[in-house]
């Protein structure tokens, strides 16, 4: 069995291909590669699904902030109206205007809006102001009369002498016939005098030291009151007994300063001794 098997295998052994066969196979394979090219293998790459920086999911352009002028020149406004909204100080508040913390300019008084420049205040700044009259312009001339608020104007009282005031204020009262017939009729003539600031009457002032009352002249004060002056009332405390008992301070008195320091040290030592004795006495009582 062994010999038969070995001979069979020898007879059926595969022969090596020849060179011609190898050349034919190689040409066939090359034609297959050119005609049917195998597809390239695509390796997948994962790209970012969310933008790493910038504003990918935000609004591209937000709503406008409504900046700019809200009132035109010459327009009538009331206090609190917004005149100009801005980022930064492109315009500055002028007369009767104010600026908020976000640089918004508001009207502080009722009037008419004016946009102007004032080289005297600043050579480059632009201002927004309010005037009380429609014909008024800004900036106002130098040393010009300042316009009053609430529609008021400056008025100068005509100068008159004191004698004319006294003569004009002195009038004569003449009673009527019915008042003459009445039992309580006033006198026939009564003179009304103008109030003056001259001393009139006396005021009794009690001295704190002696206790005696002295009379002093009182003058007319605001509110039509005849009383002492404020400085006299304030200086009254200096004449009191408590004020006289205080020793006067002498600058540079080293002996007085040393004496006060020694008295303070002695009092502190005495206070400490009293405190220590109290503690010892309490401990002794507790033991007993």
């Amino acid at each position: 069995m062994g010999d038969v098997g070995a001979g069979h295998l020898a007879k059926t052994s595969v022969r090596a291909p020849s060179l011609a066969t190898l050349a034919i196979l190689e040409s066939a394979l090359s034609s297959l590669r050119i005609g049917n090219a195998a597809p390239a293998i695509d390796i997948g790459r994962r790209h970012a699904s969310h933008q790493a920086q910038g504003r990918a999911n935000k609004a591209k352009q937000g709503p406008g902030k409504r900046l700019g002028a809200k009132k035109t020149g010459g327009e009538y406004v009331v206090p609190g109206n917004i005149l100009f909204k801005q980022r930064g100080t492109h315009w500055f508040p002028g007369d009767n205007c104010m600026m908020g913390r976000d640089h918004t300019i508001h009207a502080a008084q009722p009037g008419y809006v004016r946009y102007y420049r004032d080289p005297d205040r600043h050579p480059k700044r632009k201002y927004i102001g309010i005037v009380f009259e429609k014909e008024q312009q800004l900036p106002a001339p130098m040393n010009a009369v300042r316009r009053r608020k609430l529609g008021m104007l400056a008025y100068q009282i005509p100068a008159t002498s004191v004698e004319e005031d006294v003569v004009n204020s002195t009038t004569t009262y003449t009673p009527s016939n019915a008042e003459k017939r009445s039992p309580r009729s006033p006198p026939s003539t009564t003179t009304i005098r103008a109030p003056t600031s001259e001393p009139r009457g006396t005021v009794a002032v009690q001295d704190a030291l002696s206790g005696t009352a002295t009379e002093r002249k009182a003058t007319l004060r605001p509110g039509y009151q005849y009383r002492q002056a404020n400085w006299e009332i304030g200086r009254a405390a200096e004449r009191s007994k408590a004020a006289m008992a205080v020793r006067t301070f002498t600058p540079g008195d080293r002996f007085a300063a040393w004496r006060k320091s020694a008295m303070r040290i002695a009092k502190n030592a005495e206070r400490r001794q009293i405190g220590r004795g109290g503690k010892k006495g309490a401990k002794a009582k507790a033991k007993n």
Side-chain angles (χ1 to χ4, degrees):
M1 291 287 295
D3 297 338
V4 173
H8 180 73
L9 289 175
K11 290 179 181 179
T12 58
S13 60
V14 180
R15 295 180 180 180
S18 61
L19 295 176
T21 306
L22 291 176
I24 295 170
L25 290 175
E26 187 177 359
S27 62
L29 289 175
S30 62
S31 63
L32 287 174
R33 291 194 191 98
I34 295 173
N36 299 325
I41 300 174
D42 187 10
I43 301 175
R45 293 182 181 179
R46 185 180 180 276
H47 299 278
S49 59
H50 183 82
Q51 188 173 354
Q53 57 186 352
R55 46 183 182 181
N57 295 339
K58 298 179 182 178
K60 299 288 184 180
Q61 186 176 1
K65 303 305 179 183
R66 277 66 175 173
L67 304 179
K70 304 303 174 185
K71 301 293 181 181
T72 59
E75 187 173 353
Y76 184 80
V77 294
V78 297
N81 283 161
I82 297 176
L83 306 181
F84 201 95
K85 295 197 71 174
Q86 56 187 344
R87 291 290 179 267
T89 52
H90 299 286
W91 292 84
F92 287 83
D95 296 352
N96 305 311
C97 287
M98 57 185 178
M99 180 184 290
R101 64 179 184 178
D102 60 344
H103 307 109
T104 300
I105 299 179
H106 302 264
Q109 297 295 333
Y112 302 93
V113 182
R114 291 287 184 272
Y115 293 86
Y116 65 99
R117 289 179 180 268
D118 192 354
D120 295 333
R121 294 179 62 180
H122 199 278
K124 297 182 180 180
R125 289 183 178 179
K126 299 180 293 183
Y127 295 93
I128 303 177
I130 300 294
V131 296
F132 303 119
E133 298 178 3
K134 203 163 188 178
E135 295 78 13
Q136 186 180 353
Q137 298 296 331
L138 290 177
M142 294 293 293
N143 302 326
V145 178
R146 184 170 63 88
R147 297 289 180 174
R148 303 289 177 175
K149 298 178 182 179
L150 304 177
M152 301 176 64
L153 299 176
Y155 178 74
Q156 186 175 4
I157 301 176
T160 57
S161 61
V162 179
E163 296 180 358
E164 293 179 359
D165 294 342
V166 174
V167 171
N168 296 334
S169 61
T170 304
T171 57
T172 303
Y173 172 75
T174 304
S176 60
N177 295 331
E179 292 176 349
K180 288 180 180 179
R181 289 193 298 269
S182 63
R184 296 182 180 180
S185 60
S188 57
T189 58
T190 303
T191 303
I192 303 175
R193 302 193 179 202
T196 61
S197 59
E198 297 178 358
R200 176 183 175 186
T202 57
V203 177
V205 180
Q206 185 177 3
D207 193 355
L209 295 177
S210 61
T212 58
T214 58
E215 293 184 352
R216 297 184 181 179
K217 291 184 179 181
T219 56
L220 181 63
R221 298 294 172 186
Y224 298 96
Q225 296 178 356
Y226 286 92
R227 64 179 182 85
Q228 286 181 279
N230 290 330
W231 67 270
E232 294 179 351
I233 298 173
R235 295 291 293 273
E238 299 179 1
R239 298 187 300 271
S240 61
K241 295 181 179 180
M244 295 300 178
V246 177
R247 183 176 298 177
T248 57
F249 173 73
T250 305
D253 191 353
R254 297 177 62 85
F255 179 75
W258 171 82
R259 186 170 61 249
K260 290 176 64 176
S261 177
M263 291 175 61
R264 184 171 62 253
I265 293 172
K267 286 184 178 180
N268 292 337
E270 183 180 0
R271 191 179 298 110
R272 286 195 297 270
Q273 291 294 336
I274 293 173
R276 292 172 184 173
K279 290 181 180 178
K280 291 181 180 179
K283 290 181 180 179
K285 289 181 181 178
K287 290 181 179 180
N288 296 332

